[in-house]
Amino acid sequence: GAVVSQHPSRVICKSGTSVKIECRSLDFQATTMFWYRQFPKKSLMLMATSNEGSKATYEQGVEKDKFLINHASLTLSTLTVTSAHPEDSSFYICSARVLDREVYGYTFGSGTRLTVV
Amino acid sequence: GQSLEQPSEVTAVEGAIVQINCTYQTSGFYGLSWYQQHDGGAPTFLSYNALDGLEETGRFSSFLSRSDSYGYLLLQELQMKDSASYFCAAHNDYKLSFGAGTTVTVRA
């Protein structure tokens, strides 16, 4: 089946630094990827939709200059948290949309636990 | 906007049956999925309904009624490993919108 690999699984960074999270589709081409943020015991909140070769579409309230998304190839999307602050600490998950027998399904990466100190 | 409502938590004993309800209000709706997530892990796909009716996948079944904007996930023969969070997710406008999640705790 479709597999999405997300790295790193955990990262600790200092306030003010930037962190890049990678999401790769291993055995399929992902024209569209999604980035979610999840706080403990809470739901997955969609941050942005990333389309290969074009600008990402951000959800309302998400700062595009803070959360930079790049989808330069059909197998790689990256999320960069710029000038990270402790309030950016969260679980970030990517997802790719996959067309399977005329139905769109979604496969998820394993998530990245970001801690900003 | 999109809105999905599901209970926050459910507790049951091993071997029991649990039903998690989900009501939704969303534009461009074309299907309802269910995902399981263990602490610290990624969501894993359980079931998908595009049409009204029941879909059965082993111990888990999912139901959808489009006219009632309602669906449910049925967990049968509960096992300890089923303790997790369960999310309903609406497929709309070619993306997923998630409910707040239901924490299922299975007791011996």
Side-chain angles (χ1 to χ4, degrees), chain B residues 52-70:
Chain B
D52 285 0
L54 190 68
E55 291 283 340
E56 297 180 84
T57 310
R59 294 187 297 114
F60 297 169
S61 303
S62 60
F63 172 83
L64 177 66
S65 169
R66 297 174 71 105
S67 59
D68 295 323
S69 297
Y70 162 77

Side-chain angles (χ1 to χ4, degrees), chain B residues 8-73:
Chain B
S8 59
E9 53 185 59
V10 173
T11 300
V13 297
E14 273 187 299
I17 298 173
V18 160
Q19 178 172 316
I20 303 171
N21 298 320
C22 175
T23 57
Y24 59 87
Q25 290 184 334
T26 179
S27 60
F29 175 87
Y30 63 88
L32 191 72
S33 285
W34 289 90
Y35 288 82
Q36 179 192 62
Q37 185 182 34
H38 286 97
D39 271 351
T44 55
F45 172 78
L46 293 177
S47 189
Y48 172 72
N49 294 71
L51 303 175
D52 285 0
L54 190 68
E55 291 283 340
E56 297 180 84
T57 310
R59 294 187 297 114
F60 297 169
S61 303
S62 60
F63 172 83
L64 177 66
S65 169
R66 297 174 71 105
S67 59
D68 295 323
S69 297
Y70 162 77
Y72 67 72
L73 178 70

Side-chain angles (χ1 to χ4, degrees), chain B residues 67-90:
Chain B
S67 59
D68 295 323
S69 297
Y70 162 77
Y72 67 72
L73 178 70
L74 195 68
L75 315 179
Q76 301 181 78
E77 300 172 24
L78 273 181
Q79 302 176 9
M80 297 298 287
K81 66 179 181 180
D82 298 330
S83 291
S85 292
Y86 293 82
F87 296 88
C88 57

Side-chain angles (χ1 to χ4, degrees), chain A residues 32 34 36 38 41-46 49 59 91 93 95 97 103-111 113, chain B residues 30 33 35 37 39-45 48 85 87 91-101 103:
Chain A
T32 304
F34 304 88
Y36 295 85
Q38 186 179 32
K41 305 296 184 184
K42 297 294 184 183
S43 185
L44 284 80
M45 301 302 299
L46 180 64
T49 302
E59 296 298 302
F91 192 52
I93 310 172
S95 171
R97 190 169 67 204
V103 174
Y104 277 115
Y106 297 82
T107 185
F108 288 80
S110 53
R113 175 81 54 197
Chain B
Y30 63 88
S33 285
Y35 288 82
Q37 185 182 34
D39 271 351
T44 55
F45 172 78
Y48 172 72
S85 292
F87 296 88
H91 292 238
N92 50 56
D93 300 326
Y94 300 102
K95 61 184 180 183
L96 279 181
S97 299
F98 283 84
T103 301

Side-chain angles (χ1 to χ4, degrees), chain A residues 35-102:
Chain A
W35 288 94
Y36 295 85
R37 180 175 183 176
Q38 186 179 32
F39 291 103
K41 305 296 184 184
K42 297 294 184 183
S43 185
L44 284 80
M45 301 302 299
L46 180 64
M47 298 174 66
T49 302
S50 145
N51 294 295
E52 185 267 336
S54 64
K55 290 184 179 180
T57 303
Y58 289 81
E59 296 298 302
Q60 193 172 5
V62 177
E63 299 175 61
K64 59 183 67 177
D65 294 332
K66 175 128 187 101
F67 299 100
L68 299 179
I69 289 171
N70 184 280
H71 195 158
S73 79
L74 286 170
T75 58
L76 176 64
S77 177
T78 61
L79 167 68
T80 301
V81 182
T82 62
S83 187
H85 291 284
E87 57 265 30
D88 299 324
S89 297
S90 191
F91 192 52
Y92 293 88
I93 310 172
C94 66
S95 171
R97 190 169 67 204
V98 181
L99 186 60
D100 179 20
R101 290 169 289 179
E102 301 181 354

